[in-house]
C-alpha cells in the first residue's frame, strides 16, 4: 500500500470529523437536536419563558435518563462477561468460548467496559444514538 501524504491524511481526518458531527447532510438539525436534549437534561432555560412566571425548569429528562440507566446497567453489574457467543453448530462450542473470552477481555478489562457501556447507553437515551 503506498504511503499517504499529509494532505490525504488531513482529508480523511476532516471527513471523519464531519461524519462524527452528523455527516454532510442534516448535521445542523442533528447538532440542534443534541444541543436541545443536553439543555433539557441540564435544566437550562429554553428561551421562551414568560418573564412574569417562574424561571425554574423541570429535570424530567435527566431524571428519566438516569432512572433508565440504572435499570439497564443492572444487566452488566457484577459480571465480567456481558457478551457470550452461542454455537450455531455442535462443533462450535470451543470456538464460541474463545471468542466470548476475547471480546469480554477487550471490552471489560482493556477498555473499562462498564463505563464504556454506561456512556453508550446514556448517549442512546439522551441523544438517540450510542455506539461503542
Amino acid at each position: 500500500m503506498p504511503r499517504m501524504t499529509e494532505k490525504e491524511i488531513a482529508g480523511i481526518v476532516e471527513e471523519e470529523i464531519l461524519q462524527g458531527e452528523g455527516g454532510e447532510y442534516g448535521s445542523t438539525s442533528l447538532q440542534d437536536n443534541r444541543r436541545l436534549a443536553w439543555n433539557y437534561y441540564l435544566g437550562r432555560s429554553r428561551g421562551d419563558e414568560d418573564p412574569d412566571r417562574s424561571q425554574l425548569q423541570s429535570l424530567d429528562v435527566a431524571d428519566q435518563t438516569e432512572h433508565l440507566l440504572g435499570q439497564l446497567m443492572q444487566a452488566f453489574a457484577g459480571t465480567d462477561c456481558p457478551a457470550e457467543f452461542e454455537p450455531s453448530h455442535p462443533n462450535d462450542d470451543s470456538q464460541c468460548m474463545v471468542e466470548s473470552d476475547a471480546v469480554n477481555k477487550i471490552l471489560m478489562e482493556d477498555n473499562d467496559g462498564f463505563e464504556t457501556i454506561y456512556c453508550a447507553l446514556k448517549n442512546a437515551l439522551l441523544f438517540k444514538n450510542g455506539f461503542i
Side-chain angles (χ1 to χ4, degrees), residues 25-121:
Y25 306 104
S27 64
T28 302
S29 66
L30 179 61
Q31 290 172 350
D32 290 344
N33 286 339
R34 288 178 177 171
R35 188 175 297 108
L36 183 63
W38 187 241
N39 286 337
Y40 282 153
Y41 180 83
L42 295 176
R44 293 179 177 157
S45 60
R46 296 184 316 261
D48 63 350
E49 294 80 16
D50 186 343
D52 296 329
R53 306 201 77 165
S54 172
Q55 301 299 306
L56 293 177
Q57 298 294 318
S58 169
L59 294 176
D60 290 348
V61 173
D63 292 341
Q64 288 301 315
T65 301
E66 296 301 327
H67 175 74
L68 286 169
L69 271 172
Q71 291 181 339
L72 292 169
M73 290 307 294
Q74 284 180 358
F76 301 101
T79 182
D80 288 334
C81 189
E84 185 176 329
F85 291 88
E86 293 185 5
S88 55
H89 300 295
N91 297 342
D92 291 344
D93 288 336
S94 62
Q95 184 64 33
C96 286
M97 286 178 23
V98 169
E99 290 171 2
S100 296
D101 290 345
V103 167
N104 289 311
K105 181 187 182 316
I106 292 168
L107 176 63
M108 299 306 284
E109 295 175 23
D110 297 348
N111 292 293
D112 195 15
F114 193 80
E115 185 176 349
T116 301
I117 293 168
Y118 178 89
C119 290
L121 289 174

